[in-house]
Structure formats: C-alpha cells, structure tokens
Amino acid sequence: MDPKYIRNFSIIAHIDHGKSTLADRMMEVTGTVKQRDMKAQLLDDMELERERGITIKARAVTIFHEKDGERYMLNLIDTPGHVDFNYEVEKSLQACEGALLLVDASQGVEAQTVANAYLAIEANLEILPILNKLDLQHARPDEIAEEIENSIGVDATEALRVSAKSGLGVKEVLDQIVDKIPAPSGDTADPLRALVIDAVYDEFRGIIVYLRLVDGTIKERDTVYMMGTDKVFEAIEIGRFTPKMERTKILTAGEVGYFISNIKSLGDVRIGDTVSLHKAKDIEMLPGYAPPLHMVYADFYPTASGDFEGLRDALTTLTLSDSSLDFEPVTSDALGFGFRCGFLGLLHMEIVQQRLEREHDMDMIQTAPTVTYKVRMKDGEMVTIHSPGALPEPDKFDELLEPIARVSMMVPTEYIGVVMQISVEHRGSYIRQEFLSQNRVQIVFDVPMAELIYDFYDKLKSGTKGYGTLNYDITGYRADNLVKLRVLVNGNDVDALSSIVHFDVAERRGRGIISRLRKDIPRHQFEVPLQAAIGSRIIARETIRAMRKDVTAKCYGGDITRKRKLLEKQKKGKRRMRSIGNVEIPQKAFLSVLGEGEKKK
C-alpha cells in the first residue's frame, strides 16, 4: 500500500480513562470485527488483563477507514496506562507518527496523562487531545480542556468530545487521524529496514516476530537478516493483525505486521533489533530502544530444587514478550538456588510472579523487593548492589547512596495537607506545587525509592480516598544514614529477609517485621527466637513458643517427682530438637518485610 494512505498511531492515557474501549469502538465502527465476535476490551486478551481490568501488553491492530472516497490503513497500538508499564508505551510510540491523548472528562488530567504526553512530545509525535466519557452526568469538558493546556501545554480548544462507551464522536476521531497525523516517511523502493517491536512464543509455530516496516518491502520466502543477533531466517508467513493474525504474504513501508520463520531459540530474537534482507549492503541499523531502568529487585526460588531449570526456561520465555524483565542466577543459604529479577515497579513484579504461576505452573518463593543502591568503597570505587545481602561490611565503604524518585502527585486541593504529611513522613523533600484548576493541584516531592515501594502508594490512595494519582522518575542517588537491618531466625541470619533502612526508623521497622514474622511463621516442636539486628546489636526480639504436648496426662496422682521427671525429659528433647531442627518459613513471611507493621505512637 502507498505509505501516503497509512497512519500509525497510539492511544495514550491514564489507567481507566477508556483506551481499550475506544479501540473496541474503532474496530466496531470500521467493521474490522464482526458484531458477533465483539466483546469488551477485545485487545486485552491476556487472562490477567481481563481479570484486573488493565492493559499490560501493548497490542497492535490494523483497521481500514474510508474518507472522501479514499481508503486508509490505520495501524492502532493500544498501550498500558500504569506507570510500571511505561516501557511498553515508549516502545509503541517509536513505531508511530501520532498519538491520541485520551482524558476522562470527569476525572481530568492525572499523573500518567502528563507522563505519557511528555513521552509522545519527546518522540516528536503529533498529539490529538480527546475528551472521553461525555455521557457521564458529571463530565466537565471545558474545565478539563483548560487543565490539559495548563499541565501539558497542548492546545485543547478543538479537542474532540467523545463517548467511547456509546460510540459518540468515534467516526470524527477516525477522520481527524487521517487529516492530522502525518503519513510514514519511508519509501517502498528503498532496501528493507524493519523494527522488531515485540515477539511472542508459540509452541507449535516458534517465535512470532512483530514488525514495523520503516523502509522497503518484505514478502514470503524472502531471506531476512537480524542485524543485532547476526541470524538469517526465511520468512515463511507474513501478515498483519485484524486483530487476529491475517496472512497477507507481503508488508510494505509504514505497515505494522508479523512474520513467522520457525525460530525456535529464544536468543535469536531481540526486541528493538533491525530486520533487513540477507546480503543487502550498507544498511544502517535503526536506533532501537534504550535499555529499561530496573528499580525494584526481588529473588525467585523454586520450592523444589529440581525445578531450577524449569524456572530458568519460564523466565527466558517471559523476557521474550516482556523485554523490560531481567534476571540472573543467585544462591541463598536459606533458600538454595534461584534468580534475582529486575522489575520496573511493584505491579510489574506482581504481574511477572502471577504469569510464572499461571502460564508456566511454577511453584516458588519470592523474597521481599529491594531497590538498587550504590556503595562508595574506601578506595573511591563506586559499586552497585541489588540486594542487602551483597552489602559489604561497614568498615569496607565510606558511604551508601540510595535512588531518589521525583514523585509527581495529582490530587484534589482539599488533600494537600494529607499528601504533604505522607511525603515528609517518608523522608520526602518538597520541590513545588502547581494548581491545574480551582480544585486540582500537582505536588512534586523528591522521595527515596525505598520508601516509595514500602507503603507510600497505599497511604496516598487511602489518605486521598482514592483520588490521588502519582508518577515518578529516578533523578539520581543521594547518600544518607542507611544501615543494614538483619533478621535472625533461630539464631541463623536469613539474608532473604534482610533490608536496608534509614537509621532513624530501623528500630521501629525491625520491631514491626519481627512481630509480623511471629504471626506468619508456624509454631514448631521447639522454641524459635526471632531477632532484628543492626551490625552486632540486637534491636528487637520475639519468641515463637513451642508446641507442647501434655506428657503428664497419664500420671494419675502419685509422687510429684514422677511428673517433674517427665517434664525434664521433654525439655531435653526440645533442646536437642532446637539444635538440629530446621525452621520452615512460608512465602507470606518473606513478604512481611513489605507490610505496614509500624505501630502508631
């Protein structure tokens, strides 16, 4: 197809502002999907997406729209809205020339609305603001249009007003996409250059590679060359998404589609790679994607040691469809062999864990999440550590630096005091506040990332009755009075339960962790001491009492010494059991480190 009749665009918005619903209506209005096959959130086909009501993976679909007698191909990429899936949004925007900025006409501009709009501006995309949910009684489109102009600087005077639920204004949106979003700049006569935007593994057909063609043409039976991995394959099947895979045998410059080539090895495909024809000369690689910045790390250990290789295969398969996931093997004295995984945030971590359990049937233990720290050693060398267990002894380094997040919170004006208090309690530094309208304000703080993943988001949501939203970016590292909080179970140091905390809250945090562990770890045949320590100093202790059988139950009357003898015999057995017994620590105990646990004064 001539590139001048192609439009590539994404829909970007905050969570629950109607991206997937608008995509549904577009497919319905253009007849892409038959009425009998239509269902809500059609592109959210992952079980977790439908269960949670959120988009996790960006999905592509090709729809055709007629305007003024001409037929246009519109390639839509539906993107996630949650901050943890920003990397998916960035990848999608690189394959587009324009973006629909969707804003809820009742809720207004939220934290991720601003963040995603800036991503689109940085990618030099044409932005079309759209006010959604006009069918709601409390919609206030004029006020929201003003918020868009104040917070993002995008002209919203001519913003289209639609209802994705009822279909109001959807045809006008399609017309505006054709009129305002530029056509792709590629040339079908040039040598083939295509960007690998995603890939999925199919156990029957191998790896299915998702492409955005920048230049040239790709046909079935062409021999293609993956420039990044230095691999050559034959394109067996070529097609596009409608939204099911539809075989077309050819793709041209500007189009988005897929190719299948019996690729079996997961290492042969890399997201962001450039595809060209084999033996084509002087082909310049496309810029690809910047590597994701992992800020949260957690360890996964298989409950059965024989499942180690199975967990490796499952993680490798997940990294193919989720390029923001990273992992490396680790060992633990308490838990054996496992993998340390890097995530973009807590929701990302939770989704990966659930996908491993559901899609790959893995049974595993997950440790409490930690952030990346930097350590300035005595010789001046800067070392990066991903877990408290890797922290050197205090006499080996000069200072410990923690990552600082620039947190932008959008809240109604009546909650300013609550948000300020929560931010200061979590060691936040005030930066600025801006009024977006009479009743909406943006508050910006610098907050340590470790505090952000602890319980900051939960407190913000409860403190603002669910109206507060946040977005964050890592701005750098800062030294502070940080210490390693060790947890000892039955006298043994459990590195998987250790954490790095600020000295001022170490004792309170330690007491909270120990009191929760006492509830989460089941009673054993012997007494189990739980201790929290900084260095060699014990700062908190709890004891899990032993399960006790009444050994004197059968002594009816008689000399008291008989009962004492039986009790002493039981005591000796308990002491012996304590020295050789292993304490079983359940999964929920490892996540206790994250819980609330800080007693109100």
Side-chain angles (χ1 to χ4, degrees), residues 82-90 291-297 322-326 341-349 352 449 453 472 474:
H82 197 279
V83 60
D84 282 12
F85 305 114
N86 249 10
Y87 193 63
E88 284 289 319
V89 179
E90 281 187 63
L293 185 64
H294 298 115
M295 286 322 303
V296 175
Y297 285 83
D322 183 359
S323 52
S324 54
L325 172 65
D326 192 27
C341 303
F343 308 97
L344 302 181
L346 285 182
L347 180 64
H348 185 208
M349 179 189 78
V352 168
M449 187 69 187
I453 72 163
Y472 65 85
I474 304 303

PDB file of all heavy atoms in Angstrom, residues 82-90 291-297 322-326 341-349 352 449 453 472 474:
ATOM      1  N   HIS A  82      -0.545   2.125  33.285  1.00  0.00           N
ATOM      2  CA  HIS A  82       0.105   2.144  34.591  1.00  0.00           C
ATOM      3  C   HIS A  82       1.570   2.543  34.469  1.00  0.00           C
ATOM      4  O   HIS A  82       2.245   2.195  33.502  1.00  0.00           O
ATOM      5  CB  HIS A  82      -0.020   0.766  35.262  1.00  0.00           C
ATOM      6  CG  HIS A  82       0.255   0.790  36.732  1.00  0.00           C
ATOM      7  ND1 HIS A  82       1.528   0.788  37.232  1.00  0.00           N
ATOM      8  CD2 HIS A  82      -0.567   0.845  37.804  1.00  0.00           C
ATOM      9  CE1 HIS A  82       1.469   0.822  38.556  1.00  0.00           C
ATOM     10  NE2 HIS A  82       0.208   0.856  38.925  1.00  0.00           N
ATOM     11  N   VAL A  83       2.080   3.235  35.491  1.00  0.00           N
ATOM     12  CA  VAL A  83       3.456   3.735  35.482  1.00  0.00           C
ATOM     13  C   VAL A  83       4.472   2.605  35.299  1.00  0.00           C
ATOM     14  O   VAL A  83       5.517   2.792  34.680  1.00  0.00           O
ATOM     15  CB  VAL A  83       3.744   4.544  36.779  1.00  0.00           C
ATOM     16  CG1 VAL A  83       3.569   3.673  38.026  1.00  0.00           C
ATOM     17  CG2 VAL A  83       5.143   5.150  36.771  1.00  0.00           C
ATOM     18  N   ASP A  84       4.168   1.393  35.816  1.00  0.00           N
ATOM     19  CA  ASP A  84       5.115   0.279  35.725  1.00  0.00           C
ATOM     20  C   ASP A  84       5.288  -0.222  34.294  1.00  0.00           C
ATOM     21  O   ASP A  84       6.241  -0.940  34.004  1.00  0.00           O
ATOM     22  CB  ASP A  84       4.663  -0.890  36.607  1.00  0.00           C
ATOM     23  CG  ASP A  84       4.976  -0.652  38.076  1.00  0.00           C
ATOM     24  OD1 ASP A  84       5.322   0.494  38.412  1.00  0.00           O
ATOM     25  OD2 ASP A  84       4.889  -1.587  38.880  1.00  0.00           O
ATOM     26  N   PHE A  85       4.359   0.115  33.393  1.00  0.00           N
ATOM     27  CA  PHE A  85       4.460  -0.368  32.020  1.00  0.00           C
ATOM     28  C   PHE A  85       4.807   0.759  31.048  1.00  0.00           C
ATOM     29  O   PHE A  85       4.475   0.706  29.867  1.00  0.00           O
ATOM     30  CB  PHE A  85       3.160  -1.077  31.617  1.00  0.00           C
ATOM     31  CG  PHE A  85       2.789  -2.184  32.559  1.00  0.00           C
ATOM     32  CD1 PHE A  85       1.657  -2.097  33.340  1.00  0.00           C
ATOM     33  CD2 PHE A  85       3.604  -3.291  32.694  1.00  0.00           C
ATOM     34  CE1 PHE A  85       1.326  -3.104  34.229  1.00  0.00           C
ATOM     35  CE2 PHE A  85       3.292  -4.305  33.579  1.00  0.00           C
ATOM     36  CZ  PHE A  85       2.150  -4.221  34.351  1.00  0.00           C
ATOM     37  N   ASN A  86       5.485   1.785  31.566  1.00  0.00           N
ATOM     38  CA  ASN A  86       5.922   2.907  30.732  1.00  0.00           C
ATOM     39  C   ASN A  86       6.797   2.449  29.572  1.00  0.00           C
ATOM     40  O   ASN A  86       6.798   3.051  28.506  1.00  0.00           O
ATOM     41  CB  ASN A  86       6.729   3.908  31.583  1.00  0.00           C
ATOM     42  CG  ASN A  86       5.961   5.206  31.753  1.00  0.00           C
ATOM     43  OD1 ASN A  86       4.792   5.284  31.406  1.00  0.00           O
ATOM     44  ND2 ASN A  86       6.614   6.214  32.275  1.00  0.00           N
ATOM     45  N   TYR A  87       7.583   1.385  29.811  1.00  0.00           N
ATOM     46  CA  TYR A  87       8.497   0.899  28.771  1.00  0.00           C
ATOM     47  C   TYR A  87       7.710   0.395  27.561  1.00  0.00           C
ATOM     48  O   TYR A  87       8.126   0.603  26.419  1.00  0.00           O
ATOM     49  CB  TYR A  87       9.389  -0.210  29.341  1.00  0.00           C
ATOM     50  CG  TYR A  87      10.556  -0.558  28.460  1.00  0.00           C
ATOM     51  CD1 TYR A  87      11.539   0.392  28.174  1.00  0.00           C
ATOM     52  CD2 TYR A  87      10.692  -1.823  27.899  1.00  0.00           C
ATOM     53  CE1 TYR A  87      12.622   0.074  27.358  1.00  0.00           C
ATOM     54  CE2 TYR A  87      11.763  -2.145  27.093  1.00  0.00           C
ATOM     55  CZ  TYR A  87      12.719  -1.196  26.826  1.00  0.00           C
ATOM     56  OH  TYR A  87      13.794  -1.506  26.020  1.00  0.00           O
ATOM     57  N   GLU A  88       6.558  -0.256  27.808  1.00  0.00           N
ATOM     58  CA  GLU A  88       5.692  -0.707  26.714  1.00  0.00           C
ATOM     59  C   GLU A  88       5.197   0.500  25.905  1.00  0.00           C
ATOM     60  O   GLU A  88       5.120   0.453  24.686  1.00  0.00           O
ATOM     61  CB  GLU A  88       4.483  -1.466  27.271  1.00  0.00           C
ATOM     62  CG  GLU A  88       4.771  -2.873  27.750  1.00  0.00           C
ATOM     63  CD  GLU A  88       5.045  -3.843  26.622  1.00  0.00           C
ATOM     64  OE1 GLU A  88       4.356  -3.777  25.593  1.00  0.00           O
ATOM     65  OE2 GLU A  88       5.985  -4.649  26.752  1.00  0.00           O
ATOM     66  N   VAL A  89       4.860   1.597  26.621  1.00  0.00           N
ATOM     67  CA  VAL A  89       4.379   2.810  25.953  1.00  0.00           C
ATOM     68  C   VAL A  89       5.496   3.404  25.088  1.00  0.00           C
ATOM     69  O   VAL A  89       5.273   3.760  23.932  1.00  0.00           O
ATOM     70  CB  VAL A  89       3.884   3.851  26.992  1.00  0.00           C
ATOM     71  CG1 VAL A  89       3.396   5.119  26.297  1.00  0.00           C
ATOM     72  CG2 VAL A  89       2.775   3.268  27.856  1.00  0.00           C
ATOM     73  N   GLU A  90       6.715   3.494  25.651  1.00  0.00           N
ATOM     74  CA  GLU A  90       7.852   4.043  24.904  1.00  0.00           C
ATOM     75  C   GLU A  90       8.100   3.262  23.627  1.00  0.00           C
ATOM     76  O   GLU A  90       8.330   3.835  22.561  1.00  0.00           O
ATOM     77  CB  GLU A  90       9.114   4.020  25.782  1.00  0.00           C
ATOM     78  CG  GLU A  90       9.184   5.150  26.789  1.00  0.00           C
ATOM     79  CD  GLU A  90      10.524   5.173  27.510  1.00  0.00           C
ATOM     80  OE1 GLU A  90      11.554   5.368  26.854  1.00  0.00           O
ATOM     81  OE2 GLU A  90      10.522   4.965  28.730  1.00  0.00           O
ATOM     82  N   PRO A 291      17.838   0.662  26.941  1.00  0.00           N
ATOM     83  CA  PRO A 291      17.574  -0.415  27.902  1.00  0.00           C
ATOM     84  C   PRO A 291      16.713   0.089  29.058  1.00  0.00           C
ATOM     85  O   PRO A 291      16.852   1.235  29.488  1.00  0.00           O
ATOM     86  CB  PRO A 291      18.981  -0.825  28.389  1.00  0.00           C
ATOM     87  CG  PRO A 291      19.881   0.304  28.020  1.00  0.00           C
ATOM     88  CD  PRO A 291      19.269   0.975  26.836  1.00  0.00           C
ATOM     89  N   PRO A 292      15.785  -0.738  29.555  1.00  0.00           N
ATOM     90  CA  PRO A 292      14.916  -0.296  30.660  1.00  0.00           C
ATOM     91  C   PRO A 292      15.696  -0.083  31.941  1.00  0.00           C
ATOM     92  O   PRO A 292      16.710  -0.758  32.177  1.00  0.00           O
ATOM     93  CB  PRO A 292      13.916  -1.440  30.813  1.00  0.00           C
ATOM     94  CG  PRO A 292      14.607  -2.632  30.248  1.00  0.00           C
ATOM     95  CD  PRO A 292      15.519  -2.125  29.167  1.00  0.00           C
ATOM     96  N   LEU A 293      15.260   0.857  32.777  1.00  0.00           N
ATOM     97  CA  LEU A 293      15.921   1.151  34.050  1.00  0.00           C
ATOM     98  C   LEU A 293      15.184   0.384  35.151  1.00  0.00           C
ATOM     99  O   LEU A 293      14.098   0.760  35.563  1.00  0.00           O
ATOM    100  CB  LEU A 293      15.873   2.661  34.315  1.00  0.00           C
ATOM    101  CG  LEU A 293      16.618   3.177  35.546  1.00  0.00           C
ATOM    102  CD1 LEU A 293      18.114   2.929  35.423  1.00  0.00           C
ATOM    103  CD2 LEU A 293      16.349   4.651  35.752  1.00  0.00           C
ATOM    104  N   HIS A 294      15.801  -0.719  35.611  1.00  0.00           N
ATOM    105  CA  HIS A 294      15.168  -1.524  36.667  1.00  0.00           C
ATOM    106  C   HIS A 294      15.404  -0.850  38.014  1.00  0.00           C
ATOM    107  O   HIS A 294      16.525  -0.532  38.361  1.00  0.00           O
ATOM    108  CB  HIS A 294      15.769  -2.935  36.692  1.00  0.00           C
ATOM    109  CG  HIS A 294      15.548  -3.688  35.421  1.00  0.00           C
ATOM    110  ND1 HIS A 294      16.570  -4.073  34.591  1.00  0.00           N
ATOM    111  CD2 HIS A 294      14.399  -4.097  34.821  1.00  0.00           C
ATOM    112  CE1 HIS A 294      16.080  -4.703  33.543  1.00  0.00           C
ATOM    113  NE2 HIS A 294      14.764  -4.728  33.658  1.00  0.00           N
ATOM    114  N   MET A 295      14.310  -0.670  38.754  1.00  0.00           N
ATOM    115  CA  MET A 295      14.441  -0.009  40.056  1.00  0.00           C
ATOM    116  C   MET A 295      14.031  -0.907  41.209  1.00  0.00           C
ATOM    117  O   MET A 295      14.330  -0.625  42.346  1.00  0.00           O
ATOM    118  CB  MET A 295      13.599   1.273  40.090  1.00  0.00           C
ATOM    119  CG  MET A 295      14.182   2.431  39.295  1.00  0.00           C
ATOM    120  SD  MET A 295      15.973   2.617  39.345  1.00  0.00           S
ATOM    121  CE  MET A 295      16.311   2.768  41.071  1.00  0.00           C
ATOM    122  N   VAL A 296      13.329  -1.993  40.939  1.00  0.00           N
ATOM    123  CA  VAL A 296      12.909  -2.912  42.000  1.00  0.00           C
ATOM    124  C   VAL A 296      13.465  -4.299  41.674  1.00  0.00           C
ATOM    125  O   VAL A 296      13.363  -4.755  40.539  1.00  0.00           O
ATOM    126  CB  VAL A 296      11.367  -2.969  42.109  1.00  0.00           C
ATOM    127  CG1 VAL A 296      10.930  -4.005  43.124  1.00  0.00           C
ATOM    128  CG2 VAL A 296      10.818  -1.605  42.492  1.00  0.00           C
ATOM    129  N   TYR A 297      14.072  -4.922  42.669  1.00  0.00           N
ATOM    130  CA  TYR A 297      14.629  -6.268  42.501  1.00  0.00           C
ATOM    131  C   TYR A 297      14.023  -7.206  43.531  1.00  0.00           C
ATOM    132  O   TYR A 297      13.786  -6.820  44.678  1.00  0.00           O
ATOM    133  CB  TYR A 297      16.155  -6.249  42.668  1.00  0.00           C
ATOM    134  CG  TYR A 297      16.879  -5.677  41.480  1.00  0.00           C
ATOM    135  CD1 TYR A 297      17.026  -4.300  41.326  1.00  0.00           C
ATOM    136  CD2 TYR A 297      17.409  -6.486  40.477  1.00  0.00           C
ATOM    137  CE1 TYR A 297      17.664  -3.752  40.224  1.00  0.00           C
ATOM    138  CE2 TYR A 297      18.050  -5.951  39.379  1.00  0.00           C
ATOM    139  CZ  TYR A 297      18.177  -4.594  39.257  1.00  0.00           C
ATOM    140  OH  TYR A 297      18.817  -4.074  38.159  1.00  0.00           O
ATOM    141  N   ASP A 322       8.188  -9.786  27.331  1.00  0.00           N
ATOM    142  CA  ASP A 322       8.321  -8.659  28.265  1.00  0.00           C
ATOM    143  C   ASP A 322       9.798  -8.280  28.336  1.00  0.00           C
ATOM    144  O   ASP A 322      10.537  -8.750  29.193  1.00  0.00           O
ATOM    145  CB  ASP A 322       7.792  -9.070  29.645  1.00  0.00           C
ATOM    146  CG  ASP A 322       7.841  -7.923  30.653  1.00  0.00           C
ATOM    147  OD1 ASP A 322       8.308  -6.826  30.281  1.00  0.00           O
ATOM    148  OD2 ASP A 322       7.429  -8.123  31.813  1.00  0.00           O
ATOM    149  N   SER A 323      10.229  -7.415  27.414  1.00  0.00           N
ATOM    150  CA  SER A 323      11.653  -7.090  27.306  1.00  0.00           C
ATOM    151  C   SER A 323      12.159  -6.235  28.458  1.00  0.00           C
ATOM    152  O   SER A 323      13.352  -5.990  28.584  1.00  0.00           O
ATOM    153  CB  SER A 323      11.936  -6.375  25.973  1.00  0.00           C
ATOM    154  OG  SER A 323      11.070  -5.281  25.818  1.00  0.00           O
ATOM    155  N   SER A 324      11.243  -5.752  29.324  1.00  0.00           N
ATOM    156  CA  SER A 324      11.685  -4.944  30.466  1.00  0.00           C
ATOM    157  C   SER A 324      12.046  -5.815  31.667  1.00  0.00           C
ATOM    158  O   SER A 324      12.481  -5.310  32.697  1.00  0.00           O
ATOM    159  CB  SER A 324      10.592  -3.941  30.859  1.00  0.00           C
ATOM    160  OG  SER A 324       9.374  -4.605  31.091  1.00  0.00           O
ATOM    161  N   LEU A 325      11.864  -7.135  31.557  1.00  0.00           N
ATOM    162  CA  LEU A 325      12.227  -8.057  32.643  1.00  0.00           C
ATOM    163  C   LEU A 325      13.671  -8.510  32.455  1.00  0.00           C
ATOM    164  O   LEU A 325      14.106  -8.787  31.335  1.00  0.00           O
ATOM    165  CB  LEU A 325      11.280  -9.266  32.622  1.00  0.00           C
ATOM    166  CG  LEU A 325      11.611 -10.435  33.552  1.00  0.00           C
ATOM    167  CD1 LEU A 325      11.497 -10.036  35.013  1.00  0.00           C
ATOM    168  CD2 LEU A 325      10.716 -11.633  33.253  1.00  0.00           C
ATOM    169  N   ASP A 326      14.417  -8.584  33.558  1.00  0.00           N
ATOM    170  CA  ASP A 326      15.805  -9.039  33.511  1.00  0.00           C
ATOM    171  C   ASP A 326      16.032 -10.002  34.670  1.00  0.00           C
ATOM    172  O   ASP A 326      15.410  -9.854  35.731  1.00  0.00           O
ATOM    173  CB  ASP A 326      16.747  -7.826  33.627  1.00  0.00           C
ATOM    174  CG  ASP A 326      18.183  -8.193  33.298  1.00  0.00           C
ATOM    175  OD1 ASP A 326      18.380  -9.148  32.527  1.00  0.00           O
ATOM    176  OD2 ASP A 326      19.102  -7.538  33.822  1.00  0.00           O
ATOM    177  N   CYS A 341      15.568 -11.056  39.904  1.00  0.00           N
ATOM    178  CA  CYS A 341      14.891 -10.445  38.757  1.00  0.00           C
ATOM    179  C   CYS A 341      14.767  -8.941  38.951  1.00  0.00           C
ATOM    180  O   CYS A 341      14.501  -8.471  40.061  1.00  0.00           O
ATOM    181  CB  CYS A 341      13.497 -11.047  38.579  1.00  0.00           C
ATOM    182  SG  CYS A 341      13.515 -12.833  38.388  1.00  0.00           S
ATOM    183  N   GLY A 342      14.954  -8.197  37.872  1.00  0.00           N
ATOM    184  CA  GLY A 342      14.814  -6.745  37.887  1.00  0.00           C
ATOM    185  C   GLY A 342      13.481  -6.339  37.283  1.00  0.00           C
ATOM    186  O   GLY A 342      13.107  -6.829  36.209  1.00  0.00           O
ATOM    187  N   PHE A 343      12.757  -5.448  37.973  1.00  0.00           N
ATOM    188  CA  PHE A 343      11.433  -5.004  37.523  1.00  0.00           C
ATOM    189  C   PHE A 343      11.384  -3.482  37.448  1.00  0.00           C
ATOM    190  O   PHE A 343      12.195  -2.794  38.064  1.00  0.00           O
ATOM    191  CB  PHE A 343      10.349  -5.476  38.497  1.00  0.00           C
ATOM    192  CG  PHE A 343      10.390  -6.947  38.795  1.00  0.00           C
ATOM    193  CD1 PHE A 343      11.025  -7.416  39.935  1.00  0.00           C
ATOM    194  CD2 PHE A 343       9.824  -7.864  37.933  1.00  0.00           C
ATOM    195  CE1 PHE A 343      11.083  -8.767  40.220  1.00  0.00           C
ATOM    196  CE2 PHE A 343       9.873  -9.218  38.208  1.00  0.00           C
ATOM    197  CZ  PHE A 343      10.501  -9.673  39.352  1.00  0.00           C
ATOM    198  N   LEU A 344      10.367  -2.974  36.729  1.00  0.00           N
ATOM    199  CA  LEU A 344      10.178  -1.528  36.627  1.00  0.00           C
ATOM    200  C   LEU A 344       9.392  -0.978  37.812  1.00  0.00           C
ATOM    201  O   LEU A 344       9.395   0.212  38.057  1.00  0.00           O
ATOM    202  CB  LEU A 344       9.449  -1.186  35.327  1.00  0.00           C
ATOM    203  CG  LEU A 344      10.133  -1.653  34.038  1.00  0.00           C
ATOM    204  CD1 LEU A 344       9.331  -1.225  32.826  1.00  0.00           C
ATOM    205  CD2 LEU A 344      11.541  -1.108  33.934  1.00  0.00           C
ATOM    206  N   GLY A 345       8.710  -1.849  38.550  1.00  0.00           N
ATOM    207  CA  GLY A 345       7.934  -1.405  39.705  1.00  0.00           C
ATOM    208  C   GLY A 345       7.252  -2.585  40.363  1.00  0.00           C
ATOM    209  O   GLY A 345       7.399  -3.733  39.932  1.00  0.00           O
ATOM    210  N   LEU A 346       6.479  -2.301  41.424  1.00  0.00           N
ATOM    211  CA  LEU A 346       5.853  -3.371  42.206  1.00  0.00           C
ATOM    212  C   LEU A 346       4.761  -4.102  41.426  1.00  0.00           C
ATOM    213  O   LEU A 346       4.624  -5.316  41.541  1.00  0.00           O
ATOM    214  CB  LEU A 346       5.247  -2.793  43.499  1.00  0.00           C
ATOM    215  CG  LEU A 346       6.252  -2.428  44.591  1.00  0.00           C
ATOM    216  CD1 LEU A 346       5.517  -1.927  45.813  1.00  0.00           C
ATOM    217  CD2 LEU A 346       7.106  -3.623  44.968  1.00  0.00           C
ATOM    218  N   LEU A 347       3.947  -3.366  40.642  1.00  0.00           N
ATOM    219  CA  LEU A 347       2.891  -4.031  39.868  1.00  0.00           C
ATOM    220  C   LEU A 347       3.522  -4.939  38.811  1.00  0.00           C
ATOM    221  O   LEU A 347       3.051  -6.058  38.585  1.00  0.00           O
ATOM    222  CB  LEU A 347       1.971  -3.000  39.209  1.00  0.00           C
ATOM    223  CG  LEU A 347       0.834  -3.606  38.371  1.00  0.00           C
ATOM    224  CD1 LEU A 347      -0.127  -4.405  39.241  1.00  0.00           C
ATOM    225  CD2 LEU A 347       0.075  -2.532  37.609  1.00  0.00           C
ATOM    226  N   HIS A 348       4.591  -4.470  38.192  1.00  0.00           N
ATOM    227  CA  HIS A 348       5.310  -5.279  37.203  1.00  0.00           C
ATOM    228  C   HIS A 348       5.786  -6.578  37.846  1.00  0.00           C
ATOM    229  O   HIS A 348       5.640  -7.668  37.279  1.00  0.00           O
ATOM    230  CB  HIS A 348       6.507  -4.465  36.669  1.00  0.00           C
ATOM    231  CG  HIS A 348       7.247  -5.149  35.565  1.00  0.00           C
ATOM    232  ND1 HIS A 348       8.584  -4.942  35.322  1.00  0.00           N
ATOM    233  CD2 HIS A 348       6.858  -6.055  34.654  1.00  0.00           C
ATOM    234  CE1 HIS A 348       8.963  -5.677  34.302  1.00  0.00           C
ATOM    235  NE2 HIS A 348       7.927  -6.367  33.877  1.00  0.00           N
ATOM    236  N   MET A 349       6.330  -6.488  39.063  1.00  0.00           N
ATOM    237  CA  MET A 349       6.804  -7.669  39.796  1.00  0.00           C
ATOM    238  C   MET A 349       5.645  -8.640  40.064  1.00  0.00           C
ATOM    239  O   MET A 349       5.768  -9.850  39.863  1.00  0.00           O
ATOM    240  CB  MET A 349       7.437  -7.238  41.122  1.00  0.00           C
ATOM    241  CG  MET A 349       7.944  -8.379  41.975  1.00  0.00           C
ATOM    242  SD  MET A 349       8.433  -7.823  43.616  1.00  0.00           S
ATOM    243  CE  MET A 349       6.833  -7.660  44.394  1.00  0.00           C
ATOM    244  N   VAL A 352       4.543 -10.414  36.817  1.00  0.00           N
ATOM    245  CA  VAL A 352       5.508 -11.459  36.417  1.00  0.00           C
ATOM    246  C   VAL A 352       5.331 -12.698  37.288  1.00  0.00           C
ATOM    247  O   VAL A 352       5.310 -13.831  36.791  1.00  0.00           O
ATOM    248  CB  VAL A 352       6.959 -10.933  36.497  1.00  0.00           C
ATOM    249  CG1 VAL A 352       7.965 -12.078  36.383  1.00  0.00           C
ATOM    250  CG2 VAL A 352       7.210  -9.906  35.394  1.00  0.00           C
ATOM    251  N   MET A 449      13.439   6.027  46.765  1.00  0.00           N
ATOM    252  CA  MET A 449      12.718   4.949  46.087  1.00  0.00           C
ATOM    253  C   MET A 449      12.337   3.830  47.059  1.00  0.00           C
ATOM    254  O   MET A 449      11.272   3.209  46.924  1.00  0.00           O
ATOM    255  CB  MET A 449      13.594   4.394  44.956  1.00  0.00           C
ATOM    256  CG  MET A 449      12.916   3.384  44.078  1.00  0.00           C
ATOM    257  SD  MET A 449      11.628   4.129  43.068  1.00  0.00           S
ATOM    258  CE  MET A 449      10.900   2.672  42.339  1.00  0.00           C
ATOM    259  N   ILE A 453       8.435   2.157  47.504  1.00  0.00           N
ATOM    260  CA  ILE A 453       7.959   0.778  47.332  1.00  0.00           C
ATOM    261  C   ILE A 453       7.503   0.180  48.657  1.00  0.00           C
ATOM    262  O   ILE A 453       6.924  -0.901  48.683  1.00  0.00           O
ATOM    263  CB  ILE A 453       9.018  -0.141  46.678  1.00  0.00           C
ATOM    264  CG1 ILE A 453      10.173  -0.449  47.637  1.00  0.00           C
ATOM    265  CG2 ILE A 453       9.512   0.405  45.377  1.00  0.00           C
ATOM    266  CD1 ILE A 453      11.004  -1.630  47.227  1.00  0.00           C
ATOM    267  N   TYR A 472       6.401   8.749  38.769  1.00  0.00           N
ATOM    268  CA  TYR A 472       7.741   9.060  39.279  1.00  0.00           C
ATOM    269  C   TYR A 472       8.809   8.793  38.227  1.00  0.00           C
ATOM    270  O   TYR A 472       8.629   7.980  37.320  1.00  0.00           O
ATOM    271  CB  TYR A 472       8.046   8.243  40.552  1.00  0.00           C
ATOM    272  CG  TYR A 472       8.132   6.745  40.339  1.00  0.00           C
ATOM    273  CD1 TYR A 472       9.319   6.136  39.924  1.00  0.00           C
ATOM    274  CD2 TYR A 472       7.026   5.931  40.548  1.00  0.00           C
ATOM    275  CE1 TYR A 472       9.383   4.771  39.721  1.00  0.00           C
ATOM    276  CE2 TYR A 472       7.086   4.569  40.350  1.00  0.00           C
ATOM    277  CZ  TYR A 472       8.280   3.988  39.934  1.00  0.00           C
ATOM    278  OH  TYR A 472       8.345   2.638  39.720  1.00  0.00           O
ATOM    279  N   ILE A 474      13.296   8.460  38.208  1.00  0.00           N
ATOM    280  CA  ILE A 474      14.509   8.426  39.039  1.00  0.00           C
ATOM    281  C   ILE A 474      15.409   9.583  38.621  1.00  0.00           C
ATOM    282  O   ILE A 474      15.749   9.731  37.446  1.00  0.00           O
ATOM    283  CB  ILE A 474      15.245   7.075  38.887  1.00  0.00           C
ATOM    284  CG1 ILE A 474      14.300   5.916  39.232  1.00  0.00           C
ATOM    285  CG2 ILE A 474      16.478   7.039  39.769  1.00  0.00           C
ATOM    286  CD1 ILE A 474      13.686   5.985  40.607  1.00  0.00           C
TER     287      ILE A 474
END
